[in-house]
Amino acid sequence: MDVFRIRGGHRLEGEVEVRGAKNSALPILIASLLVEDGESVIRNIPDLRDIYTCLRVLEHLGVEVDFKRETSTVRLNASRLRGFEAPYELVQQMRASFMVMGPLLGRLGRAKISLPGGCAIGPRPVDLHRRAFEAMGTRIEDEGGYMVAEATPLQGAKIYFDRPSHTGTENIMMGAVMARGMTTILNASCDPEVVDLAEALNSAGARISGAGSTEIIIEGVAALKPLDHTVMPDRLETGTFLVAGAITGGRVTVTGARPDDLGLVLAKLAEMGVDVEVTADTVTASLSGRPEAGTVVTYPYPGFPTDLQASLMALASLADGTSVIRETVFEDRFLHVAELVRLGAEISTVGDEATVIGVESLSGASVMASDIRAGTGLVLACLAARGESVVNRVYHIDRGHERLEERLSLLGADIVREDTDK
Ligand code: UD1
């Protein structure tokens, strides 16, 4: 099993190019299932474990897949689907696989999808996806841990989400593209990745309007042309590198970024004393001295992203003052707290609120990544901690960041990957 060995205390300086957004690439690759004829081409695909898992799900369904890592381009031909089942062993590895349900119902009128089960950040139900597909005329039976769904055909409907589910919105949007009639999603997720998916689909002939707002309208069409799309830059990775610059008292410029997607993140960094400079496609973060304390509440977009909560907590743990961080999107998303405390942070939690009393320095220790984002937050804390740290279960981090250690090294970090089994 791979670990990261990090010697902290080096200032990070320089430029790093952000990769394509995992959370946008996944639904867009999955959307290729809707294309009955021809080859879809998706560019700027990051080289990540979750992408390989997604491609395996698509291959399992009969999609011909060709991923050219050198050019970050995937070609997909879904003209001969041979199944409609997403098996447990794949969905359990990556719950985003559940999103094949929409395209399969839209195109074939049937789908058999494993329920994702729990994960490290809480129970994460799929009831909103389910209720929406039922409202669209789908009959769903539970069989041995699977949802067996049939729609003859999928019908447009008015969908009310109790809360704006990100992948729920994408799943329903993909189903609705080829459903009969018009679908309206109310209280839809406004995330930029939803907009990216809508743009990819619209350029292939879909009729989606309102993506990026809380009301999305989809008029069903009979068929789509092949997708031809370049995936948006990863705003979460951009945020990660910015915190890396700030937490080490350095200066990091992220290139190829889309600063507009990061409004509240940049505002919060500035509130914590980080100097943030923005151009059309770069963001630079620098910090001299300790960060200031901040108040952060995670919230659906355009609120502060839950996926950057652990990274911000790492920064807050070194602040001059006491920060308060509330996690309102997921239950149990504080697993990194105990690990940050191992590094010398002073953090206590009550319910969904963490109080972070800033300390002057952290010191190296062995810590454990529990999911992608918690793991990234720990790497950032270790970059700032004095002495040597080991981050275990790096496979979580590899799900969301392409060779993170190599790119941090180029910025001046002392971080190496080691295989503990060798
Ligand atoms: C997506 C992102 C993930 C991010 C999250 C929140 C992808 C692949 N993943 O996950 O990185 O952390 O958005 O920004 O894009 N909920 C229900 N019932 C449902 C669906 C969701 O109760 O059917 C709840 C969840 O438990 C959670 C909240 O809604 O409390 C938001 O979850 P959701 O937006 O659906 O997250 P994902 O789409 O799974």
Side-chain angles (χ1 to χ4, degrees):
M1 218 188 269
D2 286 0
V3 302
F4 284 157
R5 194 173 292 279
I6 301 173
R7 281 186 184 281
H10 298 274
R11 294 179 74 230
L12 264 55
E13 260 184 81
E15 282 188 9
V16 57
E17 190 177 8
V18 67
R19 301 303 331 263
K22 168 181 88 70
N23 287 353
S24 179
L26 294 174
I28 293 173
L29 291 171
I30 288 173
S32 71
L33 282 169
L34 288 162
V35 180
E36 286 169 12
D37 202 10
E39 189 179 71
S40 295
V41 184
I42 319 291
R43 299 180 197 80
N44 204 23
I45 296 290
D47 189 5
L48 303 175
R49 267 187 44 158
D50 272 11
I51 295 294
Y52 289 104
T53 307
C54 178
L55 296 179
R56 276 173 59 207
V57 175
L58 295 176
E59 279 176 331
H60 179 86
L61 294 166
V63 181
E64 285 168 31
V65 169
D66 177 19
F67 184 9
K68 291 263 183 302
R69 292 169 59 179
E70 324 77 72
T71 55
S72 310
T73 300
V74 180
R75 292 174 182 277
L76 308 117
N77 189 329
S79 41
R80 283 186 298 274
L81 293 187
R82 61 162 176 265
F84 52 91
E85 178 181 330
Y88 176 66
E89 55 118 357
L90 294 173
V91 181
Q92 170 226 30
Q93 282 178 41
M94 187 189 68
R95 46 178 297 117
S97 320
F98 196 78
M99 281 189 286
V100 299
M101 187 158 181
L104 288 178
L105 284 174
R107 175 160 166 196
L108 305 175
R110 59 199 306 205
K112 181 177 175 188
I113 317 285
S114 169
L115 287 163
C119 74
I121 58 176
R124 296 185 83 177
V126 286
D127 56 312
L128 298 173
H129 304 236
R130 182 187 185 122
R131 286 212 301 271
F133 284 121
E134 283 173 342
M136 296 174 79
T138 308
R139 286 173 308 285
I140 300 179
E141 308 264 339
D142 295 301
E143 265 179 42
Y146 281 76
M147 267 167 58
V148 182
E150 227 180 287
T152 43
L154 205 58
Q155 299 279 355
K158 212 162 207 181
I159 309 293
Y160 301 89
F161 274 141
D162 291 333
R163 53 194 300 171
S165 166
H166 182 151
T167 53
T169 302
E170 293 168 339
N171 206 352
I172 303 310
M173 202 160 88
M174 289 191 277
V177 159
M178 276 165 62
R180 213 173 262 177
M182 183 142 92
T183 302
T184 306
I185 309 176
L186 290 151
N187 201 16
S189 149
C190 305
D191 284 273
E193 294 79 8
V194 172
V195 180
D196 208 29
L197 173 64
E199 283 171 3
L201 288 166
N202 280 345
S203 64
R207 304 184 68 174
I208 303 170
S209 59
S213 78
T214 53
E215 182 171 333
I216 302 179
I217 298 170
I218 306 123
E219 250 180 85
V221 296
L224 287 186
K225 292 181 289 184
L227 306 173
D228 186 340
H229 189 75
T230 300
V231 170
M232 63 177 272
D234 196 317
R235 62 192 164 109
L236 303 170
E237 190 172 86
T238 303
T240 302
F241 283 121
L242 295 178
V243 175
I247 204 168
T248 60
R251 180 182 168 84
V252 167
T253 298
V254 184
T255 62
R258 228 168 59 177
D260 285 351
D261 296 337
L262 283 149
L264 204 51
V265 173
L266 302 185
K268 284 291 158 189
L269 289 175
E271 197 178 298
M272 292 176 74
V274 179
D275 196 7
V276 178
E277 294 160 45
V278 167
T279 70
D281 61 355
T282 69
V283 194
T284 302
S286 58
L287 181 69
S288 53
R290 289 174 69 184
E292 289 163 31
T295 309
V296 175
V297 180
T298 67
Y299 205 71
Y301 191 86
F304 189 90
T306 172
D307 285 349
L308 286 174
Q309 181 250 106
S311 295
L312 205 93
M313 192 180 287
L315 184 66
S317 67
L318 284 162
D320 185 8
T322 299
S323 304
V324 176
I325 298 179
R326 265 187 75 209
E327 170 58 55
T328 75
V329 178
F330 286 112
E331 292 172 45
D332 298 339
R333 205 172 198 182
F334 280 147
L335 284 181
H336 45 282
V337 168
E339 305 299 305
L340 288 170
V341 168
R342 288 180 55 75
L343 295 165
E346 277 192 39
I347 308 172
S348 58
T349 59
V350 179
D352 65 1
E353 192 167 287
T355 303
V356 187
I357 302 172
V359 294
E360 267 185 48
S361 62
L362 298 172
S363 54
S366 271
V367 290
M368 183 98 74
S370 53
D371 69 71
I372 309 174
R373 312 301 171 188
T376 315
L378 292 174
V379 168
L380 295 172
C382 294
L383 291 175
R386 289 195 186 138
E388 188 173 287
S389 296
V390 173
V391 180
N392 294 283
R393 300 199 178 165
V394 159
Y395 60 86
H396 286 297
I397 299 168
D398 291 337
R399 288 186 50 195
H401 295 283
E402 189 177 311
R403 292 181 287 279
L404 185 64
E405 76 285 11
E406 288 175 21
R407 296 154 79 210
L408 289 170
S409 298
L410 289 172
L411 292 169
D414 184 346
I415 173 171
V416 287
R417 180 185 292 262
E418 283 176 12
D419 182 350
T420 51
D421 293 334
K422 278 190 183 157

